[in-house]
């Protein structure tokens, strides 16, 4: 956090509004540091989200348009369930090494 405070000090005069906003969300901003080092990259990365978004785009493209918002919601819901089923047993990088530690968080 020392680096973050150095950043605040250096840029607060030029970007006071941004620094204020960062300070407001600071408790949540670096929360991934509370988790084991082996899984931090997976937590702060958006790779899994981007992968899922690409699946949605690829499968929605042939449909062109949806008649109602509910039909779009249903389509995305079905795609999410299918994606979850496909990757349910997959252990993401680093999570297998710290499974016991993570389980202890929820005891």
């Amino acid at each position: 956090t020392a680096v973050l405070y150095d950043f605040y000090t250096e840029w607060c005069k030029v970007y006071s509004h941004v620094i204020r906003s960062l300070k407001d969300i600071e408790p949540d901003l670096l929360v991934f540091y509370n988790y084991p080092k082996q899984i931090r990259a997976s937590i702060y990365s958006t790779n899994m989200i981007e992968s899922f978004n690409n699946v949605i785009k690829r499968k929605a493209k042939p449909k062109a348009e949806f008649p109602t918002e509910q039909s779009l919601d249903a389509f995305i819901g079905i795609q999410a369930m299918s994606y979850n089923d496909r990757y349910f047993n997959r252990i993401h990088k680093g999570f297998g090494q710290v499974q016991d530690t993570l389980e202890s968080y929820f005891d």
Side-chain angles (χ1 to χ4, degrees):
T1 58
V3 174
L4 185 60
Y5 290 114
D6 291 343
F7 175 82
Y8 290 163
T9 304
E10 182 176 343
W11 294 102
C12 68
K13 291 179 182 168
V14 179
Y15 298 107
S16 61
H17 182 66
V18 173
I19 298 299
R20 251 192 325 269
S21 295
L22 281 173
K23 286 181 178 180
D24 288 345
I25 63 167
E26 187 177 320
D28 299 323
L29 185 62
L30 302 174
V31 74
F32 63 90
Y33 280 113
N34 296 339
Y35 293 91
K37 191 174 188 172
Q38 295 91 330
I39 64 170
R40 288 181 193 160
S42 294
I43 294 172
Y44 68 74
S45 168
T46 59
N47 290 344
M48 289 190 293
I49 296 167
E50 290 171 11
S51 171
F52 178 67
N53 287 342
N54 287 334
V55 167
I56 296 293
K57 287 178 190 176
R58 188 175 61 251
K59 293 194 176 200
K61 195 174 227 174
K63 309 264 188 266
E65 62 182 69
F66 293 89
T68 65
E69 191 172 328
Q70 289 79 16
S71 65
L72 176 61
D73 286 346
F75 173 78
I76 292 173
I78 290 167
Q79 296 307 314
M81 290 183 341
S82 172
Y83 189 84
N84 286 341
D85 288 343
R86 195 170 334 129
Y87 295 107
F88 180 74
N89 290 321
R90 178 178 175 211
I91 297 176
H92 204 270
K93 182 182 178 183
F95 280 79
Q97 298 168 347
V98 295
Q99 186 170 355
D100 293 339
T101 305
L102 293 174
E103 288 174 0
S104 73
Y105 291 169
F106 299 101
D107 288 339

